[in-house]
Amino acid sequence: SENTKTVEHGNTLDAIPSCTAPEGYTFNGWYLEDNTEVLPSTLFTESTTLYAHYTKNIYTITYNAGSGSVTPTSTTVEHGNTLALPTPTPPANYSFKGWYTGENGTGTKVDNNTIFNGNMTIYAYYKVITSCTYTKTAPADWTIGNAVTSGSWYAVYNCVDGVGTISTCTFKGTR
């Protein structure tokens, strides 16, 4: 919105007016059309339009990996933007289940689509791995004493936590 202030020719403003910045921005002062900042010592000799300058706020997002580890431990993001979140290394026998605004998976889940509007600490949530199974399959003619000279075998590992399968790894070998 526009406001008018009258200053006599050759004088300065008696007080530089403040300005309420839009959400997510910081007011940085008044400027002339040529980008010169208006200071208490600025002399006015003609009708002049002042322009408010704003800077988009930058927030720090801190990653609390709990008993795991993460690099980096914090990053910055501009107001209203999303962020590519790092994946922490979980502690032994745990799987990473996501970032949350509260500890132990409480609060709101935070992901790469979350819009940040302030400084925030987010917490890694892990689930204990409850079982791992191993299955090995080989051709039927791979029996003791059989003279097979070539073939393939597969080993499949399925690790499961309290929610579901967290990893399936297949290894192929040859004989």
Side-chain angles (χ1 to χ4, degrees), residues 85-97:
L85 301 172
T87 301
T89 302
N93 300 314
Y94 283 80
S95 63
F96 173 65
K97 291 299 176 185

Side-chain angles (χ1 to χ4, degrees), residues 112-131:
N112 291 343
N113 296 314
T114 299
I115 294 174
F116 292 94
N117 293 317
N119 295 321
M120 179 184 290
T121 297
I122 57 176
Y123 301 86
Y125 177 52
Y126 308 107
K127 290 282 283 186
V128 68
I129 297 172
T130 57
S131 67

